[in-house]
Amino acid sequence: VLKKIRQILDDSYEINTHRPAITASMGVAFFSDSGKNADEIFRLADMALHQAKAEGAGSLRFFNHAMQISAKIRADLESDLRVALVKNSFYLEYQPQVASNGRVVGVEALLRWQHPDKGLIAPAQFIGVAESSSLIIPLGRWILEQACLQIAQWSHDAALSSWTVAVNVSARQFQHEGFVDEVTEVLRLTHANPNRLELELTESILVSD
């Protein structure tokens, strides 16, 4: 059945002299997975479809219970992230950037999340969830504010006033329509020297453009 669907979609056709190409990502669930409950089987098939889309256009995935466990963990993490943003459970660590002569010339701001029950959660575990749920926008704003406040504070120390602070910017954050205005506003509110702020763009930005 799946092969027939793919073959039909692969067939060439014409719309207003154009010949578009169509690919379909497909998620499949069995009645045996759902106890023959209609709503449940559609939910499981949608879960498999989500996995298929993540693998790229034209992918096919069958539901398995590991997906359900993974989806539950991800949903819980997203919920905890929303609470953490409200309760301000994040903090920044600063990793020194050292010149060839051994002198510290700046730092990179590294995000840390101290979960009240799970302890310290590594960024690799939650940054992807923040990006896919759009929570990366307010989280990125918070990181930028804290880094700029640190720049402003160090400006009063002769030994530290020349240090730069590098902040990682995600693709989702960089492509947000209000990003430039947000950076400008944060610099204005914190009185941070913009010459001391570095925005580091991740490789994911190059994927789309």
Side-chain angles (χ1 to χ4, degrees), residues 24-92:
S25 297
M26 292 186 272
V28 183
F30 294 100
F31 282 104
S32 56
D33 293 325
S34 65
K36 299 185 180 180
N37 177 284
D39 290 338
E40 179 69 2
I41 197 169
F42 277 117
R43 188 181 69 82
L44 300 183
D46 187 60
M47 199 176 293
L49 176 60
H50 181 79
Q51 291 287 330
K53 287 179 178 177
E55 291 188 2
S59 297
L60 165 68
R61 286 298 298 270
F62 288 86
F63 169 79
N64 62 63
H65 289 285
M67 288 182 185
Q68 198 163 22
I69 294 169
S70 176
K72 174 70 165 59
I73 292 172
R74 186 181 181 86
D76 288 346
L77 193 60
E78 182 179 332
S79 176
D80 287 351
L81 268 172
R82 293 183 186 279
V83 173
L85 273 168
V86 174
K87 293 189 174 182
N88 201 19
S89 301
F90 300 99
Y91 65 95
L92 296 184

Side-chain angles (χ1 to χ4, degrees), residues 19-208:
R19 290 190 172 274
I22 282 186
T23 59
S25 297
M26 292 186 272
V28 183
F30 294 100
F31 282 104
S32 56
D33 293 325
S34 65
K36 299 185 180 180
N37 177 284
D39 290 338
E40 179 69 2
I41 197 169
F42 277 117
R43 188 181 69 82
L44 300 183
D46 187 60
M47 199 176 293
L49 176 60
H50 181 79
Q51 291 287 330
K53 287 179 178 177
E55 291 188 2
S59 297
L60 165 68
R61 286 298 298 270
F62 288 86
F63 169 79
N64 62 63
H65 289 285
M67 288 182 185
Q68 198 163 22
I69 294 169
S70 176
K72 174 70 165 59
I73 292 172
R74 186 181 181 86
D76 288 346
L77 193 60
E78 182 179 332
S79 176
D80 287 351
L81 268 172
R82 293 183 186 279
V83 173
L85 273 168
V86 174
K87 293 189 174 182
N88 201 19
S89 301
F90 300 99
Y91 65 95
L92 296 184
E93 286 185 347
Y94 294 97
Q95 178 174 284
Q97 295 178 327
V98 183
S100 58
N101 61 5
R103 185 173 64 90
V104 176
V105 293
V107 295
E108 180 180 1
L110 303 175
L111 180 65
R112 297 291 180 259
W113 178 15
Q114 187 66 40
H115 192 283
D117 301 318
K118 301 172 185 175
L120 191 63
I121 299 180
Q125 291 181 253
F126 66 85
I127 290 296
V129 176
E131 286 189 340
S132 63
S133 63
S134 295
L135 290 172
I136 196 67
I137 304 301
L139 183 56
R141 163 82 183 219
W142 182 88
I143 295 169
L144 190 62
E145 286 176 349
Q146 298 305 305
C148 286
L149 286 170
Q150 188 65 77
I151 290 172
Q153 181 180 336
W154 282 343
S155 68
H156 303 296
D157 187 324
L160 309 177
S161 60
S162 64
W163 283 11
T164 57
V165 176
V167 175
N168 288 306
V169 177
S170 75
R172 189 78 174 266
Q173 187 182 359
F174 183 71
Q175 292 163 353
H176 189 260
E177 61 180 0
F179 178 69
V180 174
D181 292 337
E182 185 171 88
V183 173
T184 305
E185 182 186 17
V186 169
L187 285 167
R188 179 180 60 81
L189 292 174
T190 59
H191 304 290
N193 182 349
N195 294 320
R196 298 288 172 259
L197 176 66
E198 290 181 0
L199 301 179
E200 293 194 349
L201 309 180
T202 61
E203 295 86 347
S204 59
I205 290 174
L206 301 177
V207 173
S208 58

